[in-house]
Amino acid sequence: KAGVTQTPRYLIKTRGQQVTLSCSPISGHRSVSWYQQTPGQGLQFLFEYFSETQRNKGNFPGRFSGRQFSNSRSEMNVSTLELGDSALYLCASSLGLGPHGYTFGSGTRLTVV
Amino acid sequence: EDKVVQSPLSLVVHEGDTVTLNCSYEVTNFRSLLWYKQEKKAPTFLFMLTSSGIEKKSGRLSSILDKKELFSILNITATQTGDSAVYLCAVTQGDSNYQLIWGAGTKLIIKP
């Protein structure tokens, strides 16, 4: 079965712009979680969606937002980009029964210049 | 503040060696501890531990949790070059089974 698909793989944006990242979960998975990974901070939880509802949110500013569609695909949006937003953004999908069932995508590498 | 600390941050060993990776945590209302392997980008799940003293094993990898001392170890025996990766430890807490608190990872390099 197809894995978790994240697009685009790489992205370069300038400060002040906004960006939308996409995540298509494994077929049948209803939970999608987003993480930011930076060398200094490691992996940090952004938010988790289940059946189109945000179920959990991490400690990120309001510039970071997301949504989930009825087909479980999820998008993450970052507005007014800052240099510090440069990171690998990982999406993980699961049936919704807990993180041991997570399957991660390969991520989107965002560089803000 | 909740935190997960992994040590060492990096480790270089030769093929065939045995390695032990450490993960200690200080979180409120601990629920479970998970180990992941990250080779290029996508972390892959290794183990989930919820009970103290019960070893989880998968081939040459094993892990155990000590809830009294608040740590876990991941052992890899007879290491191979394919074990080279970043090993991540994460903890879940309370009712939130879905929000993981991550350690910074241990970068393991296996030399042939």
Side-chain angles (χ1 to χ4, degrees):
Chain A
K1 58 182 178 183
V4 178
T5 304
Q6 289 189 247
T7 57
R9 296 291 299 276
Y10 301 93
L11 205 49
I12 300 175
K13 290 284 189 179
T14 55
R15 275 181 299 177
Q17 285 188 311
Q18 77 162 21
V19 67
T20 299
L21 311 181
S22 178
C23 173
S24 293
I26 288 174
S27 178
H29 283 193
R30 295 167 65 190
S31 168
V32 173
S33 299
W34 288 89
Y35 290 86
Q36 181 195 65
Q37 187 174 30
T38 57
Q41 298 285 331
L43 270 150
Q44 292 186 289
F45 173 76
L46 282 155
F47 24 67
E48 188 244 352
Y49 288 88
F50 183 84
S51 293
E52 301 180 67
T53 301
Q54 188 180 84
R55 192 155 61 172
N56 237 320
K57 191 176 191 307
N59 296 324
F60 277 80
R63 301 185 296 107
F64 291 80
S65 64
R67 58 179 175 168
Q68 186 179 35
F69 301 95
S70 57
N71 62 358
S72 293
R73 189 178 72 85
S74 177
E75 285 183 350
M76 192 192 97
N77 186 275
V78 187
S79 62
T80 320
L81 283 165
E82 300 176 0
L83 295 179
D85 297 332
S86 296
L88 178 67
Y89 290 87
L90 289 163
C91 157
S93 79
S94 75
L95 289 169
L97 303 177
H100 58 287
Y102 273 6
T103 300
F104 281 87
S106 295
T108 294
R109 172 75 63 187
L110 171 65
T111 302
V112 182
V113 297
Chain B
E1 183 189 344
D2 297 323
K3 61 181 180 180
V4 177
V5 178
Q6 291 187 247
S7 63
L9 289 180
S10 64
L11 188 57
V12 182
V13 300
H14 286 97
E15 232 178 351
D17 288 351
T18 293
V19 298
T20 298
L21 310 183
N22 303 289
C23 175
S24 64
Y25 60 90
E26 288 180 34
V27 300
T28 53
N29 205 6
F30 170 88
R31 188 182 181 100
S32 64
L33 185 144
L34 299 97
W35 285 96
Y36 286 81
K37 177 182 181 182
Q38 186 175 26
E39 290 181 81
K40 295 209 173 151
K41 286 187 177 178
T44 53
F45 172 76
L46 293 174
F47 299 111
M48 184 173 82
L49 303 151
T50 55
S51 302
S52 251
I54 297 176
E55 185 183 51
K56 292 279 183 96
K57 202 168 169 61
S58 176
R60 296 176 294 102
L61 278 67
S62 64
S63 183
I64 197 160
L65 174 67
D66 186 328
K67 289 169 77 173
K68 184 179 175 186
E69 300 297 329
L70 309 182
F71 77 92
S72 172
I73 60 171
L74 175 69
N75 273 323
I76 309 175
T77 59
T79 51
Q80 303 170 357
T81 54
D83 296 327
S84 295
V86 174
Y87 289 84
L88 297 164
C89 168
V91 168
T92 64
Q93 57 184 153
D95 293 328
S96 173
N97 219 11
Y98 315 105
Q99 180 175 337
L100 295 166
I101 303 169
W102 296 83
T106 293
K107 184 172 183 178
L108 176 64
I109 297 172
I110 310 296
K111 287 189 169 182

